[in-house]
Amino acid sequence: GIQVEQSPPDLILQEGANSTLRCNFSDSVNNLQWFHQNPWGQLINLFYIPSGTKQNGRLSATTVATERYSLLYISSSQTTDSGVYFCAAQGSNDYKLSFGAGTTVTVRA
Amino acid sequence: GAVVSQHPSWVICKSGTSVKIECRSLDFQATTMFWYRQFPKQSLMLMATSNEGSKATYEQGVEKDKFLINHASLTLSTLTVTSAHPEDSSFYICSASRQGGAEAFFGQGTRLTVV
């Protein structure tokens, strides 16, 4: 199946800072999603983005499918942005969504 | 978006007993649902694919007799952990997609503790 790698594994930010999270995947994709896992464990859908660029408030994402990577941008970070961010991809010839190891973001006031 | 509801949110059970977890798609029909398991500080690992009206498909290394999956309707899949043991303690989470769609939506998850 498709391999998904996320970097960095951990990120510590001062409130107000901007950051970029990266997701590399090993094959062409039908689906590429970014999630934020809250402290209770629920996965919050951030973006469904198999290609192109999307923005939602202070968050935006870009997927360059031909180069097999996706980026999640957090601007003007807030303490509520803390948590684990997962990238997950479904290969074109696959039925399942494979998750990266996640990036743990800590935003300090 | 689409709403997937999972119940219960947490459960504590005694070793040797069975626990059933429900996953419902509230505002759409799902012919396929997925069950994941997540250990502390780790990522999500797919356990099985639940297919409405047919047998579930299990990932390699997942015991089908221990983790029974039933997908009796287009809006409900259940995962039963049979004869639970402390090593089965984990966070279990389901997902579903709208028919014809690729975007996955996840339930709130169930934290299982076996004592």
Side-chain angles (χ1 to χ4, degrees):
Chain A
I2 193 168
Q3 304 300 310
V4 181
E5 294 182 353
Q6 289 185 245
S7 60
D10 299 280
L11 192 57
I12 299 176
L13 302 169
Q14 202 63 33
E15 196 170 30
N18 302 328
S19 64
T20 301
L21 283 60
R22 187 177 179 102
C23 172
N24 292 332
F25 43 93
S26 61
D27 204 349
S28 56
V29 296
N30 281 337
N31 181 7
L32 191 291
Q33 291 184 246
W34 284 96
F35 299 92
H36 178 206
Q37 189 166 38
N38 69 20
W40 298 272
Q42 183 162 12
L43 286 175
I44 309 298
N45 286 40
L46 297 178
F47 294 102
Y48 166 69
I49 190 166
S51 64
T53 298
K54 290 185 178 180
Q55 181 161 5
N56 184 1
R58 295 181 297 103
L59 301 180
S60 63
T62 295
T63 297
V64 184
T66 53
E67 297 187 21
R68 299 183 181 169
Y69 73 88
S70 183
L71 302 174
L72 176 70
Y73 305 97
I74 305 174
S75 64
S76 303
S77 58
Q78 300 177 0
T79 55
T80 52
D81 294 330
S82 296
V84 183
Y85 289 79
F86 286 106
C87 169
Q90 177 188 6
S92 297
N93 298 314
D94 207 346
Y95 61 93
K96 63 182 181 181
L97 203 57
S98 296
F99 280 76
T103 294
T104 301
V105 173
T106 304
V107 181
R108 293 180 174 166
Chain B
V3 181
V4 177
S5 178
Q6 198 171 328
H7 178 82
S9 298
W10 58 271
V11 58
I12 301 173
C13 71
K14 291 185 177 180
S15 191
T17 62
S18 296
V19 174
K20 181 185 284 188
I21 302 169
E22 294 186 348
C23 178
R24 294 180 184 274
S25 56
L26 297 187
D27 53 357
F28 65 99
Q29 294 183 330
T31 54
T32 303
M33 292 183 175
F34 298 89
W35 287 96
Y36 296 81
R37 182 173 183 175
Q38 184 181 30
F39 290 108
K41 306 292 185 184
Q42 294 188 24
S43 187
L44 280 75
M45 296 298 295
L46 181 67
M47 298 175 64
T49 303
S50 172
N51 303 298
E52 189 269 335
S54 65
K55 291 183 179 180
T57 305
Y58 292 82
E59 295 300 298
Q60 190 172 6
V62 177
E63 300 176 57
K64 62 180 182 180
D65 294 331
K66 180 165 193 59
F67 299 100
L68 300 181
I69 291 173
N70 186 291
H71 194 150
S73 77
L74 288 172
T75 58
L76 173 64
S77 175
T78 60
L79 169 68
T80 301
V81 183
T82 63
S83 186
H85 292 284
E87 56 266 31
D88 298 323
S89 298
S90 189
F91 188 65
Y92 294 87
I93 189 166
C94 68
S95 78
S97 302
R98 286 196 184 91
Q99 292 185 40
E103 185 176 4
F105 299 90
F106 284 78
Q108 305 96 313
T110 298
R111 196 163 304 280
L112 170 65
T113 302
V114 184
V115 298

